[in-house]
């Protein structure tokens, strides 16, 4: 499993990642905030599904991105959000070089 443990508690607060107010008290709301956070950093998440498990703090990424650098940037951006404990990117494919 491509899992990245994150031990960063001083990252950006997930509830402030979306100024329009995603419902950060729900897993779906946190996932929307994470998507907004990544997109605000110019990371293409149009073909990526992001899910969040609030019990474990694990973010799961699935779908595809065009480049390996996009995948790495996405993992880095999400890993820097407070409350994210780990990232599972097993089902996130790179479609290009």
């Amino acid at each position: 499993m491509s899992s990245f443990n994150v031990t960063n508690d001083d990252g950006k607060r997930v509830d402030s990642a979306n100024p329009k107010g995603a419902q950060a008290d729900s897993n779906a709301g946190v996932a929307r905030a994470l998507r907004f956070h990544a997109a605000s950093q110019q990371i293409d998440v149009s073909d990526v599904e992001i899910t969040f498990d609030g019990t474990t703090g694990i973010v799961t990424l699935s779908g595809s991105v065009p480049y390996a650098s996009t995948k790495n940037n996405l993992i880095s951006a999400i890993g820097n959000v407070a409350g994210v404990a780990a990232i599972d990117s097993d089902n996130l494919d790179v479609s290009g070089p």
Side-chain angles (χ1 to χ4, degrees):
M1 172 165 87
S2 298
S3 181
F4 301 89
N5 291 324
V6 181
T7 57
N8 176 14
D9 278 337
D10 58 338
K12 185 171 185 151
R13 298 287 312 161
V14 76
D15 56 359
S16 65
N18 183 349
K20 294 187 178 172
Q23 296 298 321
D25 58 345
S26 71
N27 291 343
V30 172
R32 283 191 302 273
L34 291 170
R35 173 178 289 285
F36 181 88
H37 176 67
S40 73
Q41 295 187 32
Q42 307 303 312
I43 300 170
D44 180 6
V45 291
S46 59
D47 293 326
V48 177
E49 180 179 349
I50 300 172
T51 60
F52 178 74
D53 182 337
T55 304
T56 62
I58 295 175
V59 174
T60 302
L61 305 173
S62 58
S64 67
V65 291
Y67 305 103
S69 60
T70 305
K71 181 175 181 175
N72 293 335
N73 290 341
L74 178 58
I75 290 168
S76 178
I78 289 178
N80 284 322
V81 173
V84 173
I87 300 167
D88 176 0
S89 62
D90 275 350
N91 295 315
L92 184 61
D93 299 322
V94 176
S95 60

